[in-house]
Amino acid sequence: MEILDYITIAVFAAGIMFVGSLFSSTSKNMKSFFAGGGNVPWWISGLSLFMGFFSAGTFVVWGSIAYSMGFVAVTIQLTMAAAGFAVGLLIAPRWNKTGCLTAAEYITRRYGASTQKLYTYIFLFISIFTTGSFLYPIAKIIEVAAGIPLSSSILILGVFCMIYVSLGGLRAVVVTDVLQFIILFAAVIIVIPLAFGEVGGVPEFLARVPEGFFTLFAGEYNWVFIVAFMLYNLFFLGGNWAYVQRYTSVRTPRDAKKVGVLFGVLYTFSPILWMLPPMIYRVFEPGLSGLENENAYLLMCKQTMPAGMLGLMLGGMIFATASSLNATLNISAGVFTNDIFKRLRPAAGETTLMKVARISTLGFGVLAIAVALLIPNMGGIVNVVISVAALTGVPLYLPLIWSLFSKNLNGRAILSTTVTSLTVNAVLKFIMPAAVGFSLSRAEEMLVGVLFPALLLAGYEIYHKLSGSRVCVPMPAAENATAPAAEDAGTDNNNSIRIIGAGAAISGCFISLIALLSGGETLVPLTTGIVLTVLGGLIFLTTKNK
């Protein structure tokens, strides 16, 4: 990378930190810090959900598959679009109707503190690995682009994200998610035509791709894996505690529905944009193998993008990953503060709770850094991401989603489903291969991870129907929570939108300046910068300042 790339990254990093600091004054209590006051506009929450689900792992994990196997990487990600539509139509409104601050609060009010306590410990343990898997890919990208050692990159990024989240809470996260979405899409739009130019255009690319490069299924990613992965994404998106916040932080169930549908729309077309550069790089340089495939996306960017533009793309990747990391850190700190510390110290005031929230954010960040440093010893990021998904995703989240639709499950039923499923998956993944040499394929591993907890829950329902018994565990009345006044809520939202508009306009100006200074291809980046400046300016000027 050149000096202009480093300047670009530094400017965007400073801007994101500045925006986060603007919301430090709005995070005065638990509801504002962890749920944005319960009045976040649906489109902001929807874009935040998209960016929270999306990370540099998209470029590294699925980009690796796109380089080696082709269009199947797009097929895999289209399962996320289907999951988004289903969550928006069926699950998100249910979460909003509970009136709970977090999923842990829902468990407590529905099934009692003992069930919640064990669920919380399981979630926090698994979230450490999830957060580490978000941190590793972008550190890997920085290692390739800037030559900074992987361990140093992990430490730098981890500290940056910890400080950022501890400043402004959920509203800072969701607002900067929108800015990161804008920056990342601008960078992707710039790189695609430049990448096609490197291989002689679209017709030449299509003529030189390997045979079978555009098939829907390939290798171990067959139709069984795709169906199972679609179900996994449905339960993961609908039940992950970090994503539940996006459904509960908006005003109404109808808004929550829009959050999920917007996610589905974005994931309908974005995978094609994400995966084109590594697929093009397969034609440009077909010699990568093994873990080198993880670098395909960035290598294409390095080959095509002029000085400054590479920094823009890298900055977009960093901030996209920061979004995913931030969402997980925020909810982990929220669960610890609201559902562990607050029960140990029920007399603690808001000032003490806010201090604990920020300190616990830093603590979970340190643990995530440790996991990210160990990923190379776990078989690489592709293995870690898919294995963690298969082992933990559905057992942890499906029972809670099921309980939103059923009154026949008590705390013992949902907890035993989770613990039994996690145990069976762990035995099949770690003990059976070592003990008897038996192991599941990737598709079988994903299918077992999805079907086993679903069959257990269905068995509970059938038992209660045949026995004539009814557990009937209704949702108790919502607890009173300190909510902002309508005038304060409107002020927060308008200020958030104005900050988004100003940030987009400034980003557009900066992209235009980079295009003029880079000395390379200017038409596409300059046009992108101008359009972004105009749109951001219109948003800023047409939003009332209260």
Side-chain angles (χ1 to χ4, degrees), residues 303-383:
Q303 178 65 33
T304 60
M305 302 189 83
M309 289 294 108
L310 179 59
L312 176 67
M313 172 59 77
L314 193 58
M317 293 180 180
I318 291 173
F319 301 139
T321 303
S323 171
S324 303
L325 183 61
N326 294 342
T328 307
L329 286 178
N330 182 264
I331 188 60
S332 298
V335 168
F336 177 83
T337 305
N338 199 46
D339 302 294
I340 295 180
F341 180 83
K342 193 175 180 180
R343 295 189 178 280
L344 296 174
R345 296 277 301 277
E350 286 292 345
T351 301
T352 300
L353 292 175
M354 289 303 299
K355 288 181 180 178
V356 172
R358 291 189 163 99
I359 293 172
S360 60
T361 298
L362 300 179
F364 284 110
V366 171
L367 293 175
I369 289 173
V371 170
L373 291 171
L374 293 174
I375 283 179
N377 299 323
M378 300 179 187
I381 188 62
V382 174
N383 183 63

Side-chain angles (χ1 to χ4, degrees), residues 119-168:
Y119 251 111
T120 296
Y121 293 147
I122 295 173
F123 169 78
L124 291 178
F125 177 75
I126 293 174
S127 70
I128 295 170
F129 289 89
T130 304
T131 311
S133 69
F134 285 140
L135 185 57
Y136 174 85
I138 189 59
K140 181 75 173 178
I141 287 174
I142 291 177
E143 179 189 36
V144 174
I148 300 175
L150 181 63
S151 57
S152 299
S153 299
I154 290 173
L155 290 171
I156 293 170
L157 288 168
V159 170
F160 172 83
C161 290
M162 286 188 294
I163 294 174
Y164 164 68
V165 178
S166 64
L167 281 175

